[in-house]
Amino acid sequence: MQDELFADVPARAAWLRAELNRHAHAYYVLDNPSIPDAEYDRLFLELSALEQQHPELRSPDSPTQRVGGAPLPQFEAVRHSVPMLSLGNGFDDDDVVAFDRRVREGLRADGEVDYATELKFDGLAINLRYENGILVEAATRGDGATGENVTANIRTIRAIPLRLRMENPPTVLDVRGEVLMFKADFDRLNTRQRDAGQKEFANPRNAAAGSLRQLDSRITSQRALRFYAYGIGVLEGAALPDSHAALLDWFDAIGMPVCKERSIVSGAEGLLAFYRDIGARRAALPYEIDGVVYKVNRLADQQRLGFVSRAPRFAIAHKFPAQEALTLVQDIGVQVGRTGAITPVARLAPVSVGGVTVTNATLHNEDEVRRKDVRIGDTVIVRRAGDVIPEVVAVVPERRPADAREFLMPAVCPVCGSAIIRAEDEAVARCSGGWTKCAAQKKGGLLHFVSRRAMDIEGLGEQLVEQLVDRHVIATAADLYKLGFASLAELERMADKSARNVLNALEKSKSTTLARFIYALGIRHVGEATAKELARHFGRMDSVMDATLEQLLEVADVGPVVAASIQQFFVDPLNRELVEQLRAGGVHWAEHEGIAAAATDADKVGSALQGKTFVLTGTLPNLTRDAAAAMIEAAGGKVAGSVSKKTAYVVAGEEAGSKLVKAAELGIAILDETGLIELLKGIS
Ligand code: IVH
């Protein structure tokens, strides 16, 4: 191999280049990695070494050319051969209907017009010039006529091919698209910046812009930038496809990253349906978008429609309501959380963000207030993204008044008057009152207890819990199960029907799982995942309560801090009593041996069932669905909703329907309740 390698160095280098480019394409464009990172690195190092020994082999499409070179004194100006225009904006349904009407009139269309729909990425527009298939120049949009030459930086973006994947490339091709940063990469970058004492970026777009407009491309090479193509400038030496959708498919075929979230729709109805679909999934997308874009699909129609001033008549951006807004910090107060954590909160002059009026925004903790240097009287950028609590992104320093005041952490809890203490190694200050003394902690703990992922008691919201605590109707979670109709119905804004619903929800919640119950207790550092692990490991509540530190440390994911917190919780007689009272009040769950006790056999079953998928159907004689699911998950299995070839077992109870039929057709093992229990015990 070595001999062969050195016998034909140019061939080896060419092979390495092709391999590395292929793997980068699989990773960044297809989202489907083809080799482990370490293997990629090994091939990369081999190619770098070869090129170092034989500099003549270094070609412009070599992946080694992505690492970045010496800093530039400044960016050169690049004149765009075809100007880079902007898009008209639409903000509501009427704007979209009007756009569609203008298009139909412009085309004198009788029926519905077909549109290509795509996302409006929140990044920076870039023009990539390929000559004979090789990337030769990249420029920012600039003012649309002239941009900046950012070729060295663009080369470091692995998603962007240095060579097009095609046999006979066009002599000239300008690909247009957006450079952006994924949300997860943005969070990682900011963590890195913070750890290095560097300034953090306000949002992924600023981070992408800041990274791309670096004169030192070695810095850019360390920033995880992405690219999606959405348009074309000059094309010479190849025929243009006849539609925008076909153009994007062609880009995809020649190795350009194109976003999957695109479609062809008909008429205004189709456009609005796309907008709503993307709107609903926006928060789950890995990158930020500020709307969607509609483009008349047929390129011949686009040409007929032409342009008005600097925007095309054939396309429009349908924007989502802005997620950021400017407003005034009128005061900075504090909020007391269920674990006593004191969170500084900016009290804001009311401002509409993304269609919702925001009056409070979290400042997370004292250090964060100092780092962002937020003062009372400041004008700030607030952001609301999806369901998350609004936060203060940054201060607008130019608007700071002379009398702006700094925030001081209070010495005592504003709710119960106990001392506020901040441990040396913690970012968070806490009220030392505990949930027995501090009503805020009590309310927070109760709201956590009733929340969907804990005991899931529907109808017991913030206002109700507030009233129940303030009127001393309840003091602990166990008191919830002692509530009667009269004590609920006399509360403010509580109709008889709602009171009955709450009582029903409470009754229903009594049948739960061990994992939910542990999670509901609100032990510090015990989230849903840890609660599940504890339930799986110990099987019984008493085993969790009496576990030694050593035993707790055997649980997957439990480290010293979490173990200590669990032990501390159960050492407190008040907490032990709470568990007893809840049990006495009727709260129950299925228990099992636990993998700790039945180590040998259960472990074997655990691993034998690891990753196996179960489907539950019909009503089981003794176990509720949740209890059966919890037992399966505790043994390492998974529970799915529908039967497929991948299903390992179908657990069927009374009145099992089509799932049972399908299981029989596919020849999948069918168990009844006893069969399931035996399997889990490792008997069968
Ligand atoms: S097409 C002639 N498509 O929006 C049409 N632009 O206001 C030119 N943008 O500067 C643009 N996503 O930065 C187009 N799918 C998309 C886009 C998009 C984001 C940005 C782009 C451009 C601005 C136009």
Side-chain angles (χ1 to χ4, degrees):
M1 170 84 178
Q2 285 289 310
D3 288 351
E4 230 173 285
L5 194 161
F6 286 103
D8 193 353
V9 173
R12 179 69 183 170
W15 181 83
L16 285 168
R17 264 198 311 270
E19 272 298 282
L20 287 164
N21 282 334
R22 187 168 69 81
H23 295 309
H25 178 255
Y27 188 95
Y28 290 101
V29 183
L30 307 179
D31 258 341
N32 186 15
S34 45
I35 49 166
D37 292 359
E39 181 60 14
Y40 183 93
D41 294 345
R42 200 188 60 71
L43 296 174
F44 189 92
L45 282 178
E46 186 186 338
L47 181 62
S48 308
L50 279 187
E51 287 180 348
Q52 203 125 58
Q53 287 159 11
H54 307 273
E56 73 281 3
L57 293 179
R58 216 167 262 160
S59 66
D61 68 328
S62 172
T64 59
Q65 301 306 295
R66 293 193 186 274
V67 288
L72 302 169
Q74 64 181 67
F75 294 115
E76 272 172 44
V78 173
R79 213 173 156 75
H80 300 301
S81 313
V82 176
M84 292 180 77
L85 302 173
S86 57
L87 288 168
N89 288 325
F91 296 96
D92 55 25
D93 290 10
D94 290 349
D95 293 344
V96 176
V97 169
F99 162 71
D100 174 57
R101 189 185 320 115
R102 287 196 302 275
V103 166
R104 277 186 289 116
E105 284 168 7
L107 295 175
R108 299 202 175 76
D110 292 331
E112 305 257 56
V113 172
D114 280 348
Y115 295 96
T117 58
E118 47 193 61
L119 306 183
K120 181 145 189 341
F121 304 105
D122 205 3
L124 287 90
I126 292 289
N127 185 70
L128 306 175
R129 171 152 295 195
Y130 288 87
E131 285 176 6
N132 301 307
I134 304 285
L135 176 69
V136 294
E137 188 184 80
T140 60
R141 174 169 180 263
D143 63 5
T146 309
E148 287 173 327
N149 185 336
V150 288
T151 315
N153 292 343
I154 285 290
R155 284 180 159 286
T156 70
I157 303 177
R158 300 213 168 161
I160 296 180
L162 299 175
R163 172 195 287 273
L164 299 175
R165 301 167 68 84
M166 65 195 302
E167 289 289 326
N168 295 306
T171 31
V172 184
L173 167 66
D174 279 347
V175 177
R176 289 179 174 177
E178 200 91 346
V179 166
L180 46 95
M181 189 177 282
F182 278 15
K183 292 187 259 191
D185 291 322
F186 165 75
D187 290 339
R188 275 192 282 270
L189 170 61
N190 263 357
T191 308
R192 238 170 47 206
Q193 293 285 104
R194 187 174 344 161
D195 292 348
Q198 307 258 24
K199 195 174 160 339
E200 289 176 51
F201 294 97
N203 52 45
R205 178 170 36 82
N206 286 4
S211 303
L212 199 61
R213 298 199 64 264
Q214 280 286 340
L215 289 166
D216 186 345
S217 54
R218 284 168 301 198
I219 298 180
T220 315
S221 77
Q222 286 157 24
R223 304 277 172 84
L225 294 173
R226 301 281 184 143
F227 177 80
Y228 284 123
Y230 54 61
I232 191 163
V234 177
L235 176 66
E236 284 170 17
L240 203 60
D242 64 4
S243 69
H244 186 73
L247 173 70
L248 297 186
D249 290 344
W250 180 57
F251 280 161
D252 186 36
I254 63 176
M256 293 305 305
V258 190
C259 179
K260 287 192 284 287
E261 308 292 344
R262 62 183 198 273
S263 63
I264 307 172
V265 303
S266 243
E269 281 301 314
L271 297 176
L272 293 172
F274 180 77
Y275 176 83
R276 282 191 276 272
D277 171 48
I278 297 295
R281 293 190 294 116
R282 178 184 187 187
L285 294 173
Y287 36 74
E288 291 202 337
I289 56 173
D290 54 355
V292 294
V293 180
Y294 311 138
K295 297 172 181 169
V296 170
N297 193 30
R298 281 195 46 196
L299 298 189
D301 288 345
Q302 291 195 357
Q303 282 211 321
R304 275 176 64 195
L305 287 161
F307 300 84
V308 253
S309 67
R310 305 188 59 246
R313 275 203 199 89
F314 57 79
I316 192 172
H318 188 181
K319 300 289 270 294
F320 292 128
Q323 306 229 109
E324 287 184 1
L326 284 184
T327 190
L328 198 70
V329 178
Q330 293 172 327
D331 195 7
I332 299 178
V334 298
Q335 215 165 41
V336 189
R338 73 176 164 86
T339 59
I342 306 280
T343 308
V345 177
R347 312 278 179 219
L348 306 168
V351 61
S352 168
V353 190
V356 173
T357 303
V358 171
T359 50
N360 291 306
T362 177
L363 287 162
H364 301 288
N365 57 54
E366 214 177 345
D367 292 347
E368 187 87 352
V369 181
R370 301 276 168 268
R371 206 172 49 72
K372 288 185 176 157
D373 191 21
V374 183
R375 302 187 193 177
I376 300 157
D378 269 340
T379 297
V380 292
I381 304 170
V382 284
R383 168 202 290 257
R384 211 189 119 249
D387 298 334
V388 301
I389 305 164
E391 62 170 357
V392 171
V393 179
V395 170
V396 183
E398 308 84 65
R399 299 224 198 153
R400 170 167 293 168
D403 61 350
R405 276 185 299 126
E406 277 192 54
F407 163 74
L408 280 180
M409 180 59 84
V412 297
C413 173
V415 177
C416 70
S418 306
I420 288 180
I421 295 169
R422 180 171 167 188
E424 243 173 61
D425 52 349
E426 268 212 85
V428 177
R430 285 175 202 280
C431 158
S432 59
W435 65 267
T436 44
K437 282 203 208 99
C438 183
Q441 292 184 53
K442 191 171 290 174
K443 288 173 190 168
L446 284 164
L447 279 170
H448 172 78
F449 184 85
V450 304
S451 67
R452 201 168 53 83
R453 312 199 74 96
M455 299 300 283
D456 191 18
I457 306 172
E458 234 179 286
L460 252 173
E462 212 168 319
Q463 287 180 0
L464 207 52
V465 167
E466 185 112 331
Q467 287 190 62
L468 289 169
V469 172
D470 289 345
R471 296 176 178 213
H472 304 286
V473 183
I474 60 171
T476 75
D479 296 340
L480 287 171
Y481 293 98
K482 297 176 195 150
L483 283 174
F485 180 78
S487 51
L488 276 171
E490 71 180 23
L491 298 177
E492 271 166 40
R493 270 177 281 166
M494 188 59 148
D496 285 3
K497 182 149 182 272
S498 323
R500 261 191 299 276
N501 286 344
V502 170
L503 289 176
N504 284 338
L506 275 162
E507 194 55 37
K508 212 173 90 194
S509 76
K510 285 183 184 171
S511 169
T512 186
T513 65
L514 180 55
R516 273 179 181 270
F517 183 75
I518 296 173
Y519 174 63
L521 291 174
I523 306 166
R524 223 165 115 196
H525 302 303
V526 178
E528 233 185 327
T530 309
K532 275 192 178 160
E533 277 305 322
L534 288 167
R536 179 170 118 78
H537 188 94
F538 291 106
R540 301 187 190 289
M541 190 63 207
D542 290 332
S543 317
V544 180
M545 298 197 346
D546 296 332
T548 62
L549 269 186
E550 288 69 29
Q551 286 168 337
L552 287 166
L553 285 168
E554 278 168 22
V555 180
D557 280 356
V558 173
V561 176
V562 182
S565 163
I566 296 168
Q567 224 194 12
Q568 213 180 331
F569 185 89
F570 289 116
V571 161
D572 187 338
L574 284 174
N575 290 330
R576 295 185 82 90
E577 176 157 349
L578 176 68
V579 172
E580 282 330 308
Q581 285 191 359
L582 284 164
R583 280 203 271 219
V587 178
H588 63 276
W589 51 84
E591 299 209 322
H592 62 88
E593 280 293 294
I595 57 174
T600 45
D601 268 347
D603 258 356
K604 269 188 234 133
V605 181
S607 54
L609 296 185
Q610 198 66 48
K612 290 251 175 359
T613 304
F614 289 66
V615 172
L616 301 169
T617 175
T619 315
L620 299 177
N622 301 299
L623 291 173
T624 64
R625 236 184 158 66
D626 279 352
M631 287 166 69
I632 291 166
E633 282 170 4
K638 284 188 292 203
V639 178
S642 61
V643 178
S644 76
K645 274 187 291 195
K646 292 195 189 128
T647 310
Y649 299 98
V650 167
V651 183
E654 246 178 74
E655 293 187 60
S658 60
K659 290 179 190 171
L660 185 58
V661 177
K662 186 144 183 220
E665 278 171 11
L666 293 173
I668 291 164
I670 297 166
L671 303 172
D672 59 8
E673 188 184 77
T674 322
L676 172 68
I677 291 169
E678 277 174 1
L679 175 74
L680 295 177
K681 278 193 197 154
I683 292 170
S684 60

